[in-house]
Every structure is written in C-alpha cells, then in structure tokens.
Amino acid sequence: MDDARKFNLWTMLLVIARRKVFIISLVAVCTVAAVVVALMLPKWYRAKTSMLPSQHDQLTGLTGNFAQYAMSSAGFDLPMMATASDVYATMLKSETISRAVTDRLNLKEYLKLDSYQKCHNYLRENVDIKVTPEGIVELYCLDKDPQMAADMANEYVRQLDLLNRNVKAAKAKSDREFVFNRLDSTKTILEQARDRLLDFQMTHKAVDLVSQKNLAITAATELKTQLALARVERDVKKKSLSATHPTVVSLDERISQLENQITSLETGTGDDTYLNLPLSEIPALTIKLAQLEADVKLQEEVYSLLTELYEEARIKEQKDTPTIAVLETAYPPDLKYKPKRSIIVAGALFGSLCLAIFIALFADYLENLRRTSPTDFDIMRQARDELSKKRYTD
C-alpha cells in the first residue's frame, strides 16, 4: 500500500511537471487579472464614531419610563433586560433617523437613488452599529468618499440626539399634563377635607380637644370641690339655724347653681363657649377629629409631592441640552478600508494554482482513460454531448 501511495504521489508530481507551462500560464493570467481588478475596484473608506448614553439613562436602564416610551414611540420591542445603550443602538437603526440623515446630507442626489427605501437599504448595508460590553455605542460608516463617510457618522449621532430630545420632551410633556391633572384633583380633595375638619370643629367646638379636655376636667374638679364645701357649710349652718334663715337659703341657692354648672359641663348644654365641651363625648370626638386631621395631613403631603413633581416636569419639558456624550467624533479617514488588494491577489494566486493543478490532473486522467479504457471514454464523451445538447436546448 505504501508503494502504491508513493507511486501515485510521484505520478501526480510528474503530471504537474509535464504541464507546468499550462499551470504557470493560468496562474499568471489569473493573478494579473486579479491585480487589475483589485486596482480598478473603487476604494471604500470607513469612519468611526462612538457615544455613551447620559448618566441618567444609564442609571434608569430600560425598565425606566423613558426607554419604554422611546421604544413604543419608535415602534420597537426590546427585551426587559436591555440597557440604555441597546435602546440607542435600536434607535440608530430606525427608518426615522435614516430618513433624517438622507434629507440632511441629500443622499438621494449623492447616491443617485429615487426613493427613501433605497437610501435606507444603502445605509443599512454600509452602516454598522455595535454595543461594547462596557455599554459604549460604536457606529461605523462606509462610503467611497472619506468626507461623506465622516459626515454620515456624525449626522447619525446628531439625529439620534435630536430624536432623543424630542422623545424626552414628549415624555416630559405627558408627565406634566398627568401630574397637573392629579394636582388639580388633589387640590379639590384637600379643600374638601379641610372643609370637613372645619365643619366638625365648628359644630363640636373642638379646636384643641386635649387642651379643652384638660380645662374642662379642671373646671369640673373646681366646681365639685366648691359644691362639696358648700354642702358641708350648709349642713353645719342647719344645726344652728332654721331652714328659712337667709344664710341657709343663700347656701342652698349656691349649691343649686354649682350643680347646674356641673351638669352643663358634663352634658355640653348651656352657653356656646370654648369650654362648653361634653366630657362624655370627648373619646369619640377625639377619634373623629384625629381621622379628619390625618386625612387633611395626607392630602397636604400628596399635594406637596405633586407640586414638586409638576415643577420638575416643567423643567424637563423646557430643558434642551445634549443627551449623548460623544466619545469619538468621526473624521475623514486617510486609509481605505476596502478592497483588501493583497488578500484579493493572494486568493486569486492560490485559487488559480489549485484550479490549474486540478485541470492538469483531470486532463491527464482523461488521456489515460482514452488509452486504457476506450469504452469508458466513449461513454464519458456521450454524456458530455448529451449535457451539451440539453444546455443548448434550454
């Protein structure tokens, strides 16, 4: 078996040596043709720019309202774990930006194309957008004119910034209108809560229940002390004076007045004053007053928060600052990006060499087949003729 392999290898080398002129000629022709083609191919230049989303967008991520609003406005769906850089990369691929770049650079006339769709297809084929693991958005633009390549890259960044500002302004306007409506309704609810508290205080004369309760208890204690002393004094006087004596009668009237005052204080009947608060109703009134005051305080806090959000939304709506940090500005490249002439020539050289060797070996095989097996050679030639006839017929 080893001898057979050696024989076949040397036979192949012998065939190559016999047909070296053909092989060298074919390789030379193909290589020269590749050199000519490589020199005739137009030069393409690639400009690069890179950008970084704003710090606010990086912190909020796609789960934030802005990303959801931006994608829904542009008609794109992104995974929930996408980053702000992914959002920007998707926006750069949108037809909205493609049309804006086409109009700004007058690409229809430059490319001699008659529709936005053809310009969009051209840009899609020659604009490459990548997001690095660090979150940097890189944009590469290919064109035959190095200045146009740089202009396209920079215009993409500019249009992205404009679109981003418009989206944020629209989002801020929507937020402002929503907060304003909530602020208006909360203001109405707050006024109603304050009115309920005021009505309760006026109805029950409950200005400060804790102080009123303490004053009422103090007053009741003093009145009951005076009543006890008056009763003791009256009982003492009755032992030495008659029941009709002016001193005893005066003490009875005094005792009756004190009893009426205590009853009025406990039941809340009597004059309409600050202290005229029924002691028996103080616990229930305290609970009701606490509920009304808590409702007012809650609505005041909500109103205060909505006021801050409303001012913040107004500022965001009027804010017009760059939203993208440009890390690399695109400049006209000095060196061409393609064609890779050395690769073209080397590929043609290697490919033509393999093809020439194959043709030489196949031609030698056919010659040997014609000598050693004329029948098989005739069958092969008939098959070739049949294939040629079919091709011509088609």
Side-chain angles (χ1 to χ4, degrees), residues 365 369-370 372-382:
Y365 166 76
L369 183 65
R370 183 174 60 82
T372 59
S373 182
T375 303
D376 293 338
F377 183 79
D378 291 338
I379 294 174
M380 184 274 298
R381 187 170 54 184
Q382 292 175 11

Side-chain angles (χ1 to χ4, degrees), residues 19 57 68 78 91 108 121 204 213 218 279 325:
R19 300 181 181 270
D57 291 340
Q68 296 176 1
L78 289 176
M91 293 171 70
K108 280 187 177 180
N121 294 337
H204 300 281
K213 179 185 70 173
T218 300
L279 292 173

